[in-house]
Amino acid sequence: MALQLGDTAPDFTANSTQGEIEFHAWKGDSWAILFSHPKDFTPVCTTELGTVAQLRDAWDAQGVKVIGLSVDSVDSHKEWEQDIADVMGEPVNFPVLADPDRTVANLYGMIHPKALDTLTVRSVFVITPDNKVALTLTYPAAVGRNFDEILRVVAALKLTAAHPVATPANWQDGDEVIISPKLSDDEAKAKFPEFETVKPYLRTTAQPE
Ligand code: BEZ
């Protein structure tokens, strides 16, 4: 069965462009993003890995470790990284796993044979400090991901893990948030004295610190 939200992100040991990685040990108690791409030396993937590299400061600010993966070899990844730096103006500054025998891809369900028979699709796993799967995304080969959106959801995941709130559609860091329906009005008042009731089930407040 496919990995579900709340499942423990499987541990593994694999080679990468930064040497052998034991996933849980590498990740430690950080948030992490494990993402796959279909193939080295392909156009959309080149823009994606370069974009992730350009966002280095933003990942660091959120305390997120990022790690890529495809079924290509370490040698292939390393050769391709030169192209990514040329095209995107930023060296790849995170490890990219080599998974030629598809061990990790199969553990995480990154191969969707009806879309791409033997290659990984564009999977994203956001993993919590205690190694739980907090969010998954799956994009097809022809559609590049929006990594600003992935940063946005990490901010939302961290906020909603720390406070009894939820984030509305299109929420951006600093916007109003929704008070968890689990809180009674009295509990909401105690935590968020200025909250507003839009509907009995939709109460809003300023984003907590
Ligand atoms: C791409 O990155 O452009 C790509 C990769 C695999 C299949 C199709 C497109």
Side-chain angles (χ1 to χ4, degrees):
M1 192 166 71
L3 274 181
Q4 297 192 334
L5 303 187
D7 285 349
T8 297
D11 198 13
F12 57 82
T13 301
N15 285 329
S16 85
T17 49
Q18 296 184 5
E20 187 174 90
I21 285 189
E22 292 175 34
F23 183 57
H24 285 185
W26 169 83
K27 181 188 159 295
D29 58 4
S30 295
W31 287 81
I33 290 169
L34 168 63
F35 71 101
S36 57
H37 66 271
K39 198 165 174 46
D40 295 356
F41 299 100
T42 54
V44 176
C45 301
T46 299
T47 64
E48 285 196 327
L49 270 74
T51 299
V52 173
Q54 290 168 355
L55 290 171
R56 167 88 276 152
D57 290 349
W59 303 122
D60 289 348
Q62 287 283 6
V64 178
K65 290 187 168 179
V66 290
I67 186 164
L69 175 146
S70 79
V71 301
D72 301 285
S73 66
V74 166
D75 285 348
S76 166
H77 288 339
K78 286 185 170 167
E79 201 183 330
W80 178 44
E81 283 188 354
Q82 186 55 57
D83 285 359
I84 297 170
D86 289 349
V87 172
M88 301 298 290
E90 189 71 32
V92 177
N93 46 30
F94 54 89
V96 183
L97 296 159
D99 192 32
D101 62 5
R102 289 134 175 89
T103 302
V104 181
N106 288 329
L107 270 177
Y108 279 79
M110 293 166 165
I111 293 180
H112 296 212
K114 290 179 192 132
L116 274 179
D117 52 359
T118 58
L119 304 176
T120 44
V121 291
R122 300 189 195 281
S123 300
V124 181
F125 295 86
V126 181
I127 302 170
T128 64
D130 62 348
N131 295 337
K132 301 297 181 200
V133 175
L135 184 134
T136 64
L137 288 169
T138 309
Y139 279 45
V143 180
R145 286 158 286 195
N146 182 334
F147 289 93
D148 290 331
E149 164 63 2
I150 296 169
L151 276 164
R152 188 194 74 89
V153 295
V154 170
L157 288 166
K158 289 169 76 174
L159 181 71
T160 58
H163 301 280
V165 298
T167 55
N170 291 349
W171 173 86
Q172 295 288 341
D173 199 11
D175 287 355
E176 273 194 337
V177 297
I178 293 169
I179 297 173
S180 166
K182 290 183 186 151
L183 262 55
S184 68
D185 276 353
D186 286 345
E187 289 166 332
K189 188 102 195 138
K191 279 194 179 300
F192 309 108
E194 307 296 320
F195 84 86
E196 281 184 35
T197 302
V198 181
K199 293 283 181 190
Y201 55 85
L202 173 51
R203 299 164 301 173
T204 59
T205 189
Q207 179 177 322
E209 291 303 313

